[in-house]
Amino acid sequence: MATMLEQLIQFLQNHWLLSLTLLVTLALLIFEELRSKIGGMVTITPQEGILLINRGKGTVIDLRDAIAFHGAHIKNSLNFPSEEFDTKIKNLNLAKENTLILLGNQSTAVIAAGKKLKNLGYLKINILGGGLAAWEETRLPLVKNN
């Protein structure tokens, strides 16, 4: 056992930059997970998202701009571009218990929108991990307008 510990210490000394990078990456991952859990938002996979949608338990809110949304979007999703979010959210006529699935190009904008929705009383807010790119990679259906 002592030799394993000595080998670990020697490895860390010889590869301190690699070890430091690993520790910083782990710390950032843990921080991001805790931040979303504390904020009451959960990051979901495209597969989890399609299950919620197919069961009628999920409404997708797409925070991308209108041009990107028109190019491709998830069927029946609502387009609330980040710059128009505050105005459009006032017209959102959904029960506060509905599950919302947010997607966008920037995680900071998605998290900010989720916080605003939480402040308005929406209880179940999910973030689509990887956004529309992850959805498309999984070969889930999209509405495309060329």
Side-chain angles (χ1 to χ4, degrees):
M1 186 70 168
T3 57
M4 269 176 79
L5 184 59
E6 290 169 359
Q7 288 175 344
L8 177 63
I9 292 170
Q10 185 178 7
F11 177 84
L12 293 175
Q13 288 173 341
N14 292 338
H15 304 285
W16 66 271
L17 187 58
L18 180 65
S19 303
L20 182 63
T21 304
L22 176 65
L23 287 174
V24 168
T25 304
L26 285 174
L28 289 172
L29 283 170
I30 291 169
F31 173 75
E32 188 63 30
E33 273 300 309
L34 288 175
R35 184 172 71 154
S36 68
K37 297 279 188 222
I38 290 170
M41 293 176 273
V42 178
T43 301
I44 61 172
T45 66
Q47 293 86 352
E48 292 169 320
I50 196 76
L51 284 174
L52 288 170
I53 294 166
N54 286 343
R55 292 179 180 160
K57 295 182 180 179
T59 301
V60 178
I61 298 178
D62 192 326
L63 302 169
R64 298 173 305 134
D65 64 55
I67 295 169
F69 180 80
H70 183 70
H73 61 273
I74 297 171
K75 186 178 181 181
N76 297 326
S77 60
L78 305 173
N79 185 221
F80 287 14
S82 295
E83 58 275 358
E84 301 171 23
F85 184 80
D86 292 336
T87 307
K88 286 194 163 194
I89 199 65
K90 293 174 187 171
N91 299 323
L92 185 62
N93 194 19
L94 293 174
K96 304 293 184 189
E97 299 80 31
N98 279 22
T99 300
L100 302 178
I101 303 167
L102 304 179
L103 75 95
N105 291 334
Q106 299 174 335
S107 62
T108 53
V110 174
I111 291 170
K115 287 179 181 177
K116 288 176 184 178
L117 288 165
K118 279 283 183 193
N119 290 339
L120 290 172
Y122 289 92
L123 304 173
K124 300 174 188 168
I125 300 172
N126 298 293
I127 297 171
L128 183 63
L132 197 67
W135 186 274
E136 199 165 13
E137 279 178 23
T138 316
R139 300 192 189 282
L140 290 169
L142 285 174
V143 175
K144 290 188 178 185
N145 299 311
N146 295 325

